[in-house]
Amino acid sequence: MSALHRRIGADIERRILTGEWPPGARVPTEAELQAEYGCARMTVSKALTDLSARGLILRRRRAGSVVARPPVHSAVLDIPDIAAEIEARGMAYGYELLERSERAATDEEAWLGARVVALACLHRADGAPFALERRLIGLQATPESADERFETVSPGGWLLKRAPWTEAEHRIAAVAADRETALRLDLAPGEACLKLERRTWADGLGVTWAWQTFPGQAYDLVARFSPARPEAR
């Protein structure tokens, strides 16, 4: 029984991961799977129980099983270009460099290399503050950033073109606007904001560490994803 229930589970998993059965699709009933594999109901039930425990399917009493939608914590956010995002909303993009310096990395920042470019900038949409950004760029991964002043080009868009990332880490939090953030985003101190912290690497080298703060009432994050697909061999 053990080998067959694993085979049934593997067949269903393959159909899910390849997109043959998308999220929300009905999974064959236990009776249908029994007939397809010529096995006992206990064998089919064990295979479905294992898939449910791994979050691949949802088992509903009387309604049968369906392919699960990926949970929120497993969705991978894209690396957005704020300028393109604002323009896609039909709004005019504006950019203002607030601070730029080059300095030695602290111990906490050492994963970016020995030296970093430190930036602060403001993104606008139709003239209104859209996001306050603070960012560190590792000079080891992107030595050309030492010569870029970032006075007319945003660091995020610049990096997307010159330092394609191979690994990223996101943290999202609801925060209250401190005095500086409130001033820059035209908010009242303590007003709710959404803060996105992001770290990226390119082939093992730290590229950037960024913090982007958005007015809470004017921005949300949407992750669009597809079922994972097996790597080509």
Side-chain angles (χ1 to χ4, degrees), residues 48-208:
L48 295 178
T49 297
D50 288 351
L51 291 166
S52 177
R54 294 170 54 201
L56 290 170
I57 66 171
L58 295 176
R59 302 188 75 183
R60 298 169 176 166
R61 186 172 297 181
R62 298 190 182 91
S65 300
V66 297
V67 177
R69 297 185 183 279
V72 171
H73 67 262
S74 72
V76 179
L77 294 172
D78 194 6
I79 305 294
D81 180 348
I82 290 182
E85 192 170 338
I86 290 173
E87 290 169 353
R89 298 181 179 205
M91 306 170 81
Y93 173 69
Y95 166 79
E96 179 184 353
L97 177 66
L98 303 175
E99 301 172 15
R100 185 197 184 283
S101 63
E102 183 180 328
R103 59 171 174 78
T106 65
D107 290 344
E108 185 182 17
E109 301 159 356
W111 62 275
L112 287 166
R115 295 189 65 78
V116 297
V117 172
L119 300 159
C121 55
L122 183 65
H123 304 273
R124 296 182 182 275
D126 280 349
F130 183 82
L132 176 64
E133 176 176 327
R134 291 193 175 277
R135 182 183 293 269
L136 300 174
I137 300 175
L139 285 171
Q140 182 177 356
T142 58
E144 61 271 34
S145 62
D147 299 322
E148 176 58 58
R149 305 311 302 168
F150 297 104
E151 292 176 346
T152 59
V153 60
S154 71
W158 186 89
L159 284 168
L160 284 172
K161 295 177 181 177
R162 291 168 177 78
W165 59 279
T166 57
E167 184 180 357
E169 174 185 279
H170 297 269
R171 296 179 189 273
I172 304 169
V175 299
D178 58 26
R179 185 184 296 269
E180 180 188 1
T181 300
L183 178 65
R184 296 296 188 183
L185 295 180
D186 196 19
L187 303 173
E191 196 165 335
C193 294
L194 182 146
K195 188 172 186 177
L196 171 59
E197 176 185 350
R198 178 186 298 120
R199 300 198 296 169
T200 63
W201 293 260
D203 298 324
L205 291 178
V207 175
T208 190

Side-chain angles (χ1 to χ4, degrees), residues 21-30 32 57 63-67:
W21 291 354
R26 186 184 74 86
V27 176
T29 65
E30 290 188 3
E32 290 169 337
I57 66 171
S65 300
V66 297
V67 177

